[in-house]
Amino acid sequence: MDTLIEDIARVAAIGVGATAIMDLWLLLLRRLGVPTLDFAMIGRWVGHWRRGVFRHGAIAKAAPVNGELALGWAVHYATGVGFAALLVGVFGIVWTRSPTAAPALCVGIGTVAAPWLLMQPAMGAGFASSKSPSPARNRLRSLANHAIFGLGLYAAALLVAWISR
């Protein structure tokens, strides 16, 4: 297989795997009664971009978009692959052949900047959930979710390295 294609496949597999691990975590939280993000809201937010609307007072009150749930899930997984590419871009493709936990955790935890600084403000929750009813609890949940994503990056990279040997 061409090296570039192999590297792209590695990154994609790591991103999809890490996102799936995060989703299992979110499923567990939901089963324990902890509210989690509705991916339809991400789809709604992104779906409004084609109309030139990037910011909402409250995304739940915005007009629904056809296929918003599927779009939200697609964006969620594409973002996971993008963050895996960021990890490999910073630490090198060699990291995917012998992964270590620290880079994955650093990138995973660092990705919390995306919801805090971009998504939550654009969806009406304010910077780092500052306009939500319980900002501190929401920040802690986001941080925990992204730490789990970081662990998922490491676990998925270990699996990909093992499979490719």
Side-chain angles (χ1 to χ4, degrees):
M1 183 184 300
D2 181 57
T3 305
L4 178 60
I5 292 171
E6 182 182 332
D7 292 346
I8 291 169
R10 282 175 176 275
V11 170
I14 291 167
V16 167
T19 305
I21 289 169
M22 182 180 181
D23 289 341
L24 290 172
W25 168 252
L26 295 174
L27 179 63
L28 173 65
L29 290 179
R30 239 177 271 123
R31 293 233 167 129
L32 295 173
V34 177
T36 62
L37 179 62
D38 177 359
F39 291 107
M41 296 301 102
I42 293 174
R44 184 174 297 179
W45 175 51
V46 172
H48 280 270
W49 293 358
R50 65 188 159 131
R51 297 181 186 123
V53 179
F54 301 97
R55 190 174 176 90
H56 300 269
I59 193 64
K61 294 180 181 176
V65 173
N66 286 338
E68 64 187 25
L69 181 58
L71 178 59
W73 278 99
V75 168
H76 173 58
Y77 272 82
T79 301
V81 171
F83 286 149
L86 173 66
L87 170 63
V88 172
V90 171
F91 293 97
I93 195 68
V94 71
W95 177 87
T96 67
R97 290 175 179 84
S98 294
T100 54
L105 282 170
C106 286
V107 169
I109 291 169
T111 63
V112 80
W116 284 358
L117 302 177
L118 177 67
M119 291 174 58
Q120 291 168 357
M123 296 169 91
F127 287 99
S129 237
S130 62
K131 293 181 179 178
S132 70
S134 48
R137 185 172 58 212
N138 290 337
R139 289 177 193 135
L140 187 58
R141 277 189 204 143
S142 288
L143 191 57
N145 294 343
H146 286 260
I148 295 295
F149 177 73
L151 290 172
L153 287 167
Y154 178 54
L158 284 174
L159 180 61
V160 167
W162 180 76
I163 288 170
S164 63
R165 287 193 177 129

